[in-house]
Amino acid sequence: MKKCISILIVLLIIVACSTTLQNIASANTASTSSKKISDTVRIANDSLEYEVIIIDNGFSTWLASRAYPRNYYSLQYLENKNYLYVTEWNNRVLQPQRYNPNLYEMSINYRPDIHYGYEVNYLIYNYMIYFQNTYKQKLWGNVPSR
């Protein structure tokens, strides 16, 4: 358990709190940046005012070596899977007596009415696959073993 605490399972934060919220992130208006700092993956989009931060020892390595390449899945597929995974994740966050609170530390604010773009959905989806395989969890449906 202490290893799970020290690894810092996940800090996925999506902040969509703009007074003039745009529903589509287009390549022309969105300046999406992806940075890798050690085992931290960060994606930010200033025009939509959201940020995704994934901190987990080993995720960056897993992403580079075992994840399917970008554009393997369609954006709609990723959005659908992410919605299902995030919904179950958030249900488990609300039940710390039933599910390990060291694994499910905080909820994820993922709204299906906002189009975050391919990169955000790709990283969230792959983190969910990584998480389920690494920590022997099953959030929803068949989990691809990679």
Side-chain angles (χ1 to χ4, degrees):
M1 279 307 134
K2 294 194 182 246
K3 183 178 180 183
C4 292
I5 293 171
S6 67
I7 292 178
L8 229 115
I9 304 307
V10 68
L11 288 178
L12 276 173
I13 302 169
I14 300 177
V15 181
C17 56
S18 173
T19 55
T20 59
L21 185 62
Q22 300 172 352
N23 284 339
I24 299 175
S26 68
N28 298 338
T29 61
S31 62
T32 304
S33 64
S34 179
K35 297 179 184 175
K36 180 186 169 223
I37 305 169
S38 148
D39 278 329
T40 301
V41 177
R42 179 181 178 270
I43 303 171
N45 182 316
D46 297 330
S47 68
L48 288 180
E49 295 185 14
Y50 69 78
E51 183 174 23
V52 176
I53 301 173
I54 302 171
I55 302 173
D56 197 330
N57 292 339
F59 175 65
S60 296
T61 304
W62 182 91
L63 184 65
S65 63
R66 301 187 75 188
Y68 286 152
R70 285 165 174 76
N71 298 316
Y72 182 84
Y73 296 110
S74 70
L75 177 59
Q76 185 175 7
Y77 176 86
L78 295 175
E79 288 174 338
N80 291 337
K81 285 291 197 173
N82 287 344
Y83 179 73
L84 296 169
Y85 288 150
V86 168
T87 300
E88 180 58 27
W89 178 285
N90 289 339
N91 287 335
R92 292 180 184 201
V93 168
L94 297 173
Q95 301 177 52
Q97 69 284 359
R98 186 171 176 194
Y99 298 102
N100 186 345
N102 294 326
L103 291 177
Y104 304 98
E105 294 180 0
M106 60 188 324
S107 63
I108 301 168
N109 183 16
Y110 182 85
R111 294 179 34 196
D113 59 325
I114 297 175
H115 300 284
Y116 297 105
Y118 193 88
E119 188 67 16
V120 170
N121 282 289
Y122 176 80
L123 288 173
I124 291 172
Y125 172 78
N126 278 297
Y127 181 77
M128 292 297 180
I129 300 302
Y130 166 81
F131 173 83
Q132 292 176 87
N133 287 324
T134 303
Y135 299 105
K136 308 293 187 247
Q137 302 291 305
K138 187 172 183 180
L139 294 173
W140 185 87
N142 185 30
V143 181
S145 60
R146 288 191 204 119

